[in-house]
Amino acid sequence: MRLGEDFIDEIKARIRLSDIVGRSVQLKRQGREFVGLSPFKKERTPSFYVNDEKRFYHCFASGKHGDAFSWLEEMEGLSFMEAAERLSGEAGLSLPAPDPQAAERTQHRKSLVEWMETAHAFYLRALKSPAAAHAVEYLKGRGLTGQDCVKFGIGYAPDGRTVLKDELVTAGAPIGDLIECGLLIEPDNGSPYDRFRDRIMFPIHDPRGRLVGFGGRALSKEARAKYLNSPETSIFHKGSMLYNFPNARRAASDPKAGVKGLIVAEGYLDVIALDRAGMSQGVAPMGTAITEEQLNLLWRAGGEPVMCLDGDSAGRAAALKAADRALPHLEPGRTLRFAFMPDGKDPDDVLRDEGARALSELLEDTRSLVDLLWEREVDHEPLTDPDRRASFRKRIRALVNQIANGDVKEEYRNEFDRRMEAMFGTPARKGGRGEWQGGRRKINQGASLSLKKRMGSQMDKASMRQAIPNPNGRSLLLALIEYPDLVDELIEEIALISFGALDNLRDAVLDACSLGPAVSSSELQAELLSRGFAQDLKRLEGNRGPMRASIGGADASVSVKVGAWRRLCSVYMRQSGSQEQRNELRALAERKITENDSESVRSISEAYRRENAKDETE
């Protein structure tokens, strides 16, 4: 259903955006606007603004901009229609019904949900009855407390053929409605009877928070099915829902959450175990393989969902099935990660046997989707002859071709190519500005006299003593990552400059650019991500606009960008540090340049770091 612009504008007119945003961001009035710390990036100086008159927010730290609808979509992972439903309720409006029949169907579904809630209230009361003593003992044996049962709405379905039916019919429920919502089973011959009997009952809510189904865990060993879910109904579609999703989505949006994104476990009790271990963002697909609709729910909650699976062959098979299902739908910022429990254990077992810390550590030790797929293909058959290697390459190409998003497809292709080169080796070749030996660039270690003059005048006015470089320093590094062709021209200068806490990133850039000819920006970034520099790259992201303006942009020639980089470098060095450090750095650089030995660049870099560390400890 599409909403008209008039209706959307009416919603915006009836609510105050600062009220909506102020529930999760501490705002302070500043003139006609409200200001606060960015909810999207860590900062000390407020750069996030909300304007009630213009009905928008803007974050200068991240560049994010939007209205009340996009705020709920961004912060709570709601779809547009879910956000519209939430905001229309706050505005005192009802979403327009497209036609009278649709309104009737909506009202009927609402009545079915109400009977599900009535049934749930009955199950909750039943758990407190003497007949549920064995159910209570079972729950205690699994480590659940009364508080856990209340939080997750756990109840008990009595062991009687028509106990629930009699209760609801007495309350006025039509038999047809109870059959339609899956509470009763209608046999071919005979009277309808209760679907759930002598079972622990777990309520299942849809993404909007409506109670639409149940999962029942059998207490009798003679039960045909250990777990029994509600059937497909007009309000319950198992493949498009996740157990505990509404609560988990809210937990995942908490900036203090340890694991970012949802955690997908296999069963109800695993989800509850995660919550007891302090991770309230657990969900479960109710005994089925993950579906496309469920993947979209996971990604809607933000972050990178973690598939928490048993470490046995069945768990690995489930992980690979999820990976294959996700592959065509990958987009930047939308992927999966995988955490495997020890063989023979699920999260509930780990929590009871080893404690919450052990479970948390297992969930922090995740595997990427690309790693999982790579290992499967490598283990498929021995790659000992050309035919098998050719088959392996064909399978890898087929996987990459499933990815619809062009940028993600390119990154996966580059990553798999890099791994195949590392596995099978590459012949000696030439390319770019430098010579190639054994597949690696031979860096020119001898610095020229012109370099000495250039760097001498710059270093005479600079100090490298800083934890995180200033914006100009960050722009210098970001330029090398976005335009790797600069590295060939500037390699000695790059090695001479210290970027404080980002020196390791600088070294990784130099190293990665020596791995092959004509390294592209996407290849370089993929390499840096694989080496654990995700946080550093994120730290540089806010400098992309100023960097491009300073360097000249992608359309500028290499010589123009090199000249601009050197000018920016001079400014950066003039802005830094103490005179004593400047003199030491200059003397050290001149000595190493004059020596002109084969290790000069690396020696200078190491000496810089030693001198910086010594100065910081004084």
Side-chain angles (χ1 to χ4, degrees):
M1 181 178 71
R2 297 186 61 181
L3 298 179
E5 291 297 324
D6 291 342
F7 184 78
I8 293 175
D9 288 339
E10 181 66 15
I11 291 177
K12 292 179 181 179
R14 291 195 181 199
I15 64 173
R16 291 206 324 166
L17 180 58
S18 59
D19 290 340
I20 305 297
V21 175
R23 294 168 188 167
S24 51
V25 177
Q26 186 173 354
L27 297 175
K28 183 178 180 180
R29 180 174 286 280
Q30 190 176 91
R32 294 185 176 182
E33 297 180 319
F34 291 85
V35 63
L37 295 175
S38 169
F40 308 109
K41 285 199 170 187
K42 292 183 177 179
E43 60 177 8
R44 295 183 179 179
T45 304
S47 66
F48 178 77
Y49 291 83
V50 178
N51 191 310
D52 282 333
E53 293 180 7
K54 298 179 180 179
R55 304 170 188 169
F56 70 78
Y57 63 84
H58 184 80
C59 177
F60 288 92
S62 64
K64 291 184 181 291
H65 179 97
D67 56 17
F69 291 80
S70 57
W71 175 259
L72 293 180
E73 291 175 87
E74 178 79 27
M75 299 302 292
E76 296 190 30
L78 301 183
S79 67
F80 177 82
M81 287 307 300
E82 288 173 335
E85 183 176 14
R86 172 87 64 82
L87 293 172
S88 64
E90 296 198 16
L93 298 172
S94 298
L95 290 178
D99 57 66
Q101 290 182 340
E104 290 178 7
R105 290 193 296 270
T106 298
Q107 184 58 40
H108 180 59
R109 286 195 293 270
K110 183 178 179 181
S111 68
L112 296 181
V113 170
E114 290 173 350
W115 290 124
M116 296 293 281
E117 291 173 346
T118 304
H120 184 221
F122 170 77
Y123 293 143
L124 292 177
R125 292 194 302 271
L127 184 62
K128 299 178 181 179
S129 69
H134 63 306
V136 172
E137 286 302 313
Y138 171 81
L139 292 170
K140 288 181 178 179
R142 297 300 298 263
L144 273 68
T145 65
Q147 186 176 358
D148 295 327
C149 292
V150 170
K151 182 175 183 178
F152 286 90
I154 298 173
Y156 171 68
D159 188 15
R161 186 174 177 83
T162 62
V163 180
L164 176 68
K165 172 186 171 182
D166 296 340
E167 177 82 9
L168 297 187
V169 169
T170 301
I175 292 291
D177 284 4
L178 300 181
I179 294 172
E180 184 178 349
C181 64
L183 292 172
L184 302 185
I185 294 176
E186 183 177 30
D188 294 334
N189 297 305
S191 177
Y193 57 90
D194 295 353
R195 178 178 299 275
F196 301 101
R197 302 186 302 279
D198 194 27
R199 289 179 179 268
I200 301 290
M201 299 299 291
F202 300 90
I204 302 168
H205 299 81
D206 68 7
R208 294 165 59 183
R210 301 176 305 174
L211 201 164
V212 294
F214 289 99
R217 203 282 185 192
L219 292 171
S220 172
K221 295 181 180 180
E222 285 73 36
R224 293 183 179 180
K226 184 176 180 180
Y227 281 95
L228 180 66
N229 294 315
S230 291
E232 292 288 313
T233 69
S234 58
I235 59 173
F236 180 69
H237 307 286
K238 185 163 60 174
S240 60
M241 296 179 191
L242 292 163
Y243 173 67
N244 195 47
F245 178 76
N247 294 329
R249 178 171 59 183
R250 285 191 293 271
S253 66
D254 185 350
K256 298 179 181 178
V259 177
K260 303 302 180 183
L262 300 185
I263 304 171
V264 186
E266 294 191 32
Y268 308 116
L269 291 171
D270 292 329
V271 169
I272 298 172
L274 290 170
D275 182 82
R276 290 162 52 211
M279 292 167 282
S280 300
Q281 61 269 51
V283 297
M286 295 168 284
T288 61
I290 204 80
T291 66
E292 181 179 338
E293 293 87 348
Q294 290 167 336
L295 282 172
N296 286 327
L297 282 180
L298 295 173
W299 285 324
R300 189 190 300 174
E304 298 180 348
V306 175
M307 305 293 295
C308 176
L309 301 161
D310 296 350
D312 56 14
S313 58
R316 184 173 177 80
L320 289 168
K321 189 175 292 186
D324 288 330
R325 180 63 58 84
L327 199 60
H329 309 289
L330 298 181
E331 293 181 6
R334 285 177 38 157
T335 187
L336 296 177
R337 298 195 69 82
F338 301 85
F340 293 98
M341 300 294 103
D343 285 348
K345 289 189 175 183
D346 56 29
D348 190 34
D349 296 327
V350 174
L351 178 62
R352 284 185 285 127
D353 297 344
E354 303 177 45
R357 184 177 181 83
L359 181 56
S360 178
E361 290 175 351
L362 286 170
L363 286 166
E364 291 172 1
D365 183 23
T366 59
R367 311 288 300 284
S368 68
L369 190 150
V370 70
D371 282 342
L372 203 69
L373 294 173
W374 173 263
E375 290 172 6
R376 177 181 66 182
E377 301 308 326
V378 168
D379 294 341
H380 180 73
E381 60 182 344
L383 304 176
T384 53
D385 58 61
D387 293 332
R388 287 174 173 172
R389 288 195 292 273
S391 177
F392 169 75
R393 292 178 187 273
K394 182 178 180 180
R395 294 196 305 273
I396 291 293
R397 286 196 298 271
L399 287 174
V400 172
N401 288 335
Q402 292 183 46
I403 303 173
N405 183 275
D407 291 336
V408 177
K409 177 183 287 188
E410 180 184 3
E411 293 297 336
Y412 268 67
R413 181 183 293 114
N414 293 337
E415 176 64 15
F416 283 135
D417 285 347
R418 185 185 67 82
R419 295 187 183 203
M420 284 190 283
E421 286 185 8
M423 175 177 288
F424 301 130
T426 54
R429 50 187 173 171
K430 293 185 178 182
R433 291 178 47 83
E435 295 182 10
W436 284 80
Q437 295 183 355
R440 293 183 64 89
R441 179 175 292 124
K442 182 180 178 182
I443 299 176
N444 178 16
Q445 303 285 359
S448 64
L449 290 176
S450 61
L451 168 65
K452 177 179 178 179
K453 293 178 181 178
R454 234 175 15 243
M455 295 305 297
S457 62
Q458 292 173 353
M459 294 178 66
D460 197 24
K461 302 175 182 178
S463 167
M464 302 299 117
R465 185 185 180 184
Q466 44 187 335
I468 300 296
N470 64 31
N472 286 330
R474 297 195 292 271
S475 291
L476 290 172
L477 264 179
L478 186 60
L480 301 177
I481 296 169
E482 185 151 328
Y483 309 120
D485 50 355
L486 295 178
V487 176
D488 271 346
E489 298 280 352
L490 299 162
I491 192 163
E492 288 91 355
E493 287 131 296
I494 296 167
L496 286 168
I497 299 170
S498 172
F499 294 95
L502 297 182
D503 274 353
N504 287 337
L505 176 61
R506 183 271 318 278
D507 292 347
V509 170
L510 291 175
D511 188 48
C513 286
S514 70
L515 292 175
V519 178
S520 70
S521 178
S522 59
E523 290 171 331
L524 177 55
Q525 291 184 56
E527 176 68 17
L528 296 174
L529 287 171
S530 70
R531 297 189 185 195
F533 289 100
Q535 282 297 110
D536 290 330
L537 293 177
K538 186 176 181 181
R539 182 180 290 152
L540 297 178
E541 186 61 32
N543 294 85
R544 191 171 299 278
M547 178 276 293
R548 289 174 175 170
S550 300
I551 300 300
D555 295 334
S557 67
V558 174
S559 60
V560 169
K561 287 186 283 191
V562 166
W565 193 93
R566 284 173 174 154
R567 287 192 294 274
L568 184 62
C569 180
S570 296
V571 174
Y572 165 60
M573 298 175 78
R574 284 198 302 270
Q575 292 172 340
S576 312
S578 69
Q579 184 61 46
E580 179 182 358
Q581 182 72 354
R582 289 198 297 269
N583 294 338
E584 291 176 356
L585 292 174
R586 178 180 179 181
L588 179 63
E590 289 182 348
R591 184 169 69 253
K592 291 297 180 181
I593 292 172
T594 303
E595 291 173 0
N596 199 29
D597 63 9
S598 61
E599 296 296 324
S600 62
V601 174
R602 190 166 298 280
S603 297
I604 291 171
S605 299
E606 292 173 356
Y608 274 30
R609 286 194 291 273
R610 286 197 301 270
E611 293 300 321
N612 283 340
K614 182 190 301 181
D615 192 62
E616 289 175 356
T617 59
E618 292 178 352

